[in-house]
Amino acid sequence: MLDEAEAARLVELACERHGGNRMIVGSPRHPFSLNPTTDEVVDGQTVTIHFSEISSPAIAMVGGWTFEIREDELVVLQRPRTKPGA
């Protein structure tokens, strides 16, 4: 299981492959685009990036972690779920 720092690192690398956070946030795709998301494999982990739209933020998901992509930072929206008692 990934920890928060490693998940954030993977998301940052995936974002850089697409021009950086500003490109992902600042160039929204049309809501009915055929490719509103992209998958990047970084260090063996699949990072899914949902580009921003007018009414929704850009987000990235990897290993159960969900981050909002902002122009200058990543914000954790959801952590991986754990089993009770684990």
Side-chain angles (χ1 to χ4, degrees):
M1 181 182 274
L2 298 173
D3 64 9
E4 182 176 345
E6 179 64 8
R9 184 186 75 80
L10 295 173
V11 169
E12 287 172 359
L13 290 172
C15 288
E16 286 303 315
R17 292 183 184 179
H18 288 278
N21 290 16
R22 289 177 189 234
M23 181 61 77
I24 293 169
V25 173
S27 299
R29 296 184 177 193
H30 190 275
F32 303 110
S33 172
L34 295 175
N35 54 350
T37 65
T38 187
D39 290 332
E40 278 292 325
V41 177
V42 181
D43 294 347
Q45 296 283 335
T46 300
V47 179
T48 301
I49 297 174
H50 294 269
F51 290 81
S52 68
E53 297 173 2
I54 291 181
S55 62
S56 64
I59 61 170
M61 299 177 295
V62 62
W65 292 88
T66 304
F67 294 89
E68 179 181 349
I69 303 169
R70 296 185 180 172
E71 285 190 7
D72 57 351
E73 67 179 337
L74 297 174
V75 177
V76 175
L77 295 179
Q78 184 174 347
R79 291 170 170 75
R81 295 183 181 187
T82 58
K83 293 180 182 177

